[in-house]
Amino acid sequence: MTNNDTQHATSSPNDESLWRFANANGMDRREFLRLLIIGGAAAVITACSGNLFTGDSADPTATAVRQRLLFKDPGPFIARDDIGLEARLENLHDLITPNDLFFVRNNGPTPDIDVSNWQLSIEGDAITESVQLSYEELQRLPSRILVSYLECAGNHRAMFGILQGREAEGTQWERGAIGNGEWTGVSLRDVLTVAGITDAAVSVLLVGLDTGAPENGFRYVLPVEKAMDSDTLLAYSLNGEPLPKDHGFPLRAIVPGWIGSSHIKWLGRIVVSSEQLWTRNNTTSYVLIGGDYPPEGEARGKPVTAQVIKSALALSWPAQLSQGQQRIHGYAHSPAGPISRVEWSADGGRTWRNAELSREQPDYSWARFEFTWSAEAGEHTIMTRATDTAGNTQPDHVPFNEKGYLFNQPLPHPIRVS
């Protein structure tokens, strides 16, 4: 499959809806048409300085355009920029996140891919021969099923501003850029074995077919060790159903415990290289940049790979509850292993009590926790902190980084009781 074969993978929103949005943001018709010709919907959206997805889901024009850039109903979510849909944790009650409530973080319009014309291409100087696999051929390889959470590296980013008074760049995700799913697919290791990966392999580049994204297809470089981990999947199913279009149909990567940008959606090409590869996403974009993070290789700072331990209450932010005994639940996760303990505090962290953990933590799942709180009238704050089986606990403070990645301080959750 060549780069010229990806035309079927693009889609564009309704031009009239897009024009109304562009005009509302000060663009004239001539500039709108020029951008539409040279770069499609993504170019128009970028030129409008990100004003479309500000979280105001009540705006009819923004809603209409968003519904044309995505396939799922944005109604149950908090709208974020960059075509983002943040899950409302208060709507999540079970261990597995339903497909229709699973958050979305895209870098352009969702491609509408015809799977009958789709192929996965494996190429590069560290394989014995280039290989193209159809959807049916992939499904004939040995399948794997595993449960894994998937979280954007910028989840909790807004907390740098809220709790540290220093706003980081990027989409101001609060707590819901995360979901927990049951993924079915094939091991990336098996696919690379089919292509004859050699001992010279160093980097494995995954490239998506979302041509409206940066670099003409969103991409991420995995070290060969992570690519050859048997639990690194190429998934074609989420929660027992074919991947929803907004979540990468027909094929996406699942890299358990690593940041969401490594879980490349609409996967179309894999490049196996004998050299360290550098792209936008490991030099300037998904990089910890700041005084605590010296540059590494060609990166401006420390490239982001694994996630960090976190916990959050499944309540609206801020929450409103009635007086009396309240049964409150939330979720915690860590890339280093199962969660062993979640504590909660209603007095600013002076005293901590243990929450009850669900026994279910299969594979790379998050953990569900619960506790009972006697809610009295007034303004309150509840904090949680998690500890995993490797001994990692959420820190009291996280050093600032410009992009706002990996924030995992315990979150003081405001609650009004009436």
Side-chain angles (χ1 to χ4, degrees):
M1 182 177 180
T2 67
N3 289 337
N4 294 329
D5 293 329
T6 63
Q7 294 182 7
H8 63 276
T10 63
S11 65
S12 38
N14 178 276
D15 289 349
E16 282 304 310
S17 295
L18 188 63
W19 159 241
R20 288 195 297 271
F21 155 66
N23 186 244
N25 281 272
M27 186 178 294
D28 62 31
R29 186 77 178 179
R30 181 176 180 179
E31 179 65 5
F32 168 76
L33 293 173
R34 185 185 73 82
L35 289 170
L36 199 62
I37 290 170
I38 65 172
V44 175
I45 294 167
T46 301
C48 289
S49 303
N51 292 328
L52 175 57
F53 306 110
T54 59
D56 182 11
S57 58
D59 179 74
T61 300
T63 299
V65 176
R66 186 180 294 108
Q67 288 175 329
R68 300 302 300 176
L69 297 175
L70 299 167
F71 285 84
K72 72 194 310 177
D73 178 10
F77 299 89
I78 302 168
R80 299 296 182 194
D81 54 9
D82 294 325
I83 324 177
L85 299 178
E86 179 172 342
R88 297 182 184 273
L89 293 188
E90 63 271 24
N91 291 340
L92 306 184
H93 304 288
D94 300 317
L95 196 72
I96 299 298
T97 305
N99 290 3
D100 60 346
L101 298 180
F102 214 104
F103 87 101
V104 176
R105 167 60 166 107
N106 289 349
N107 292 274
T110 294
D112 192 5
I113 296 176
D114 180 358
V115 71
S116 66
N117 295 328
W118 174 90
Q119 286 185 319
L120 175 65
S121 174
I122 304 98
E123 58 194 70
D125 68 354
I127 59 172
T128 56
E129 61 176 340
S130 297
V131 173
Q132 290 76 42
L133 297 174
S134 70
Y135 192 64
E136 292 76 15
E137 288 170 330
L138 272 166
Q139 290 184 312
R140 287 199 288 269
L141 291 173
S143 65
R144 292 286 313 281
I145 299 176
L146 61 79
V147 176
S148 177
Y149 73 89
L150 192 161
E151 182 184 30
C152 177
N155 196 26
H156 296 200
R157 176 183 286 128
M159 302 305 165
F160 276 110
I162 294 172
L163 301 182
Q164 294 189 8
R166 189 176 180 186
E167 185 172 308
E169 300 173 9
T171 303
Q172 295 302 300
W173 300 105
E174 292 178 358
R175 302 160 302 118
I178 186 171
N180 192 51
E182 181 185 85
W183 309 92
T184 303
V186 302
S187 173
L188 173 57
R189 180 178 65 181
D190 288 348
V191 171
L192 296 178
T193 299
V194 169
I197 187 170
T198 71
D199 292 339
V202 172
S203 298
V204 178
L205 173 67
L206 308 178
V207 183
L209 294 174
D210 48 341
T211 54
E215 300 183 285
N216 194 38
F218 203 71
R219 55 194 64 200
Y220 191 93
V221 177
L222 293 176
V224 68
E225 296 80 10
K226 189 64 175 178
M228 294 297 283
D229 187 311
S230 61
D231 287 341
T232 299
L233 293 190
L234 302 184
Y236 44 73
S237 173
L238 171 59
N239 297 334
E241 300 177 0
L243 279 177
K245 292 182 179 181
D246 293 312
H247 295 284
F249 180 82
L251 191 72
R252 73 171 303 161
I254 295 296
V255 188
W258 281 37
I259 60 173
S261 58
S262 66
H263 297 54
I264 295 297
K265 295 190 274 191
W266 314 292
L267 187 63
R269 187 160 63 100
I270 299 174
V271 180
V272 186
S273 175
S274 60
E275 299 180 353
Q276 171 63 51
L277 297 178
W278 299 96
T279 75
R280 168 184 176 272
N281 285 341
N282 64 351
T283 55
T284 60
S285 186
Y286 287 88
V287 177
L288 298 175
I289 301 171
D292 293 275
Y293 308 102
E296 296 183 9
E298 296 185 20
R300 286 185 57 200
K302 179 180 176 60
V304 187
T305 56
Q307 273 290 356
V308 289
I309 187 170
K310 293 183 183 179
S311 64
L313 296 178
L315 294 173
S316 59
W317 178 287
Q320 292 189 342
L321 298 175
S322 57
Q323 297 182 55
Q325 297 290 98
Q326 294 287 346
R327 191 67 174 168
I328 296 173
H329 75 277
Y331 299 95
H333 59 279
S334 170
I339 297 296
S340 61
R341 183 174 72 252
V342 175
E343 301 165 283
W344 64 279
S345 173
D347 61 5
R350 291 188 297 275
T351 59
W352 294 89
R353 303 177 185 181
N354 286 332
E356 299 172 25
L357 277 179
S358 166
R359 293 182 180 179
E360 291 184 280
Q361 291 187 56
D363 304 322
Y364 302 90
S365 172
W366 64 14
R368 189 182 188 278
F369 63 86
E370 291 185 350
F371 58 89
T372 300
W373 177 52
S374 297
E376 299 179 355
E379 305 288 338
H380 303 270
T381 299
I382 292 181
M383 302 171 65
T384 63
R385 68 182 181 190
T387 300
D388 63 28
T389 54
N392 300 299
T393 300
Q394 290 179 251
D396 293 333
H397 179 77
V398 177
F400 180 82
N401 67 89
E402 291 181 12
K403 304 287 186 178
Y405 296 133
L406 305 185
F407 186 97
N408 69 332
Q409 291 175 211
L411 303 182
H413 199 116
I415 302 173
R416 172 175 292 176
V417 178
S418 56

